[in-house]
Amino acid sequence: MDNNNLEQVTFGGGCFWCVESCFNMLKGVHSAISGYSGGHKDNPTYEEVCTGETGHAEVVQITFDPKIISYEQLMEVFFFLHDPTQLNRQGNDIGTQYRSVIYYKDEAEKAKAEEALKKSEASGKWPGTYVTEITQFDKFWPAEQYHQGYYNENPTQPYCSAVVGPKIQKFKKHFGELGMLNEA
């Protein structure tokens, strides 16, 4: 991978353990880091974010090589991994920290995000009104180290076996068929 041409994008689509695990499997993704964005407190902790009082969302910051995987393909994965019609929640995970959000860095990226959202809505995959926010990127705070690669380190933890594992299997089946996954 050519590190000089890497780009970054930051998404929030529910629990970052699910999102990070899947994005790290994609060809062209250099890294997917769990963290927090969109709030008003510097260096928030997981416990603070979980209160809903800091305004942060659980997010994943993805560093990728656009020569291998496009922004549009990343958006396709993003909208596959979570239900963008659920306001401030994903399944049983409830709170503003689980909101559906795309952070953009400039007007060109904002336009791409808006186009991807329209394309996903038109697909009919998620019936209902999309509530995904498209918001100006400000800061990204990496989550605590124990959150990084959490599923890989804790696959038998109850939440991981019940929620993350099945989501990863569905993801692997779909995107493996499209040839977008790294060889395991």
Side-chain angles (χ1 to χ4, degrees), residues 88-101:
N88 297 328
R89 71 177 299 156
Q90 284 299 302
N92 290 328
D93 293 330
I94 300 171
T96 57
Q97 71 269 28
Y98 299 114
R99 66 188 177 270
S100 176
V101 60

Side-chain angles (χ1 to χ4, degrees), residues 64-80:
F64 68 101
D65 185 338
K67 292 178 184 170
I68 300 171
I69 189 166
S70 68
Y71 180 88
E72 291 77 13
Q73 288 171 309
L74 293 171
M75 295 302 290
E76 179 184 350
V77 172
F78 169 73
F79 284 115
F80 179 88

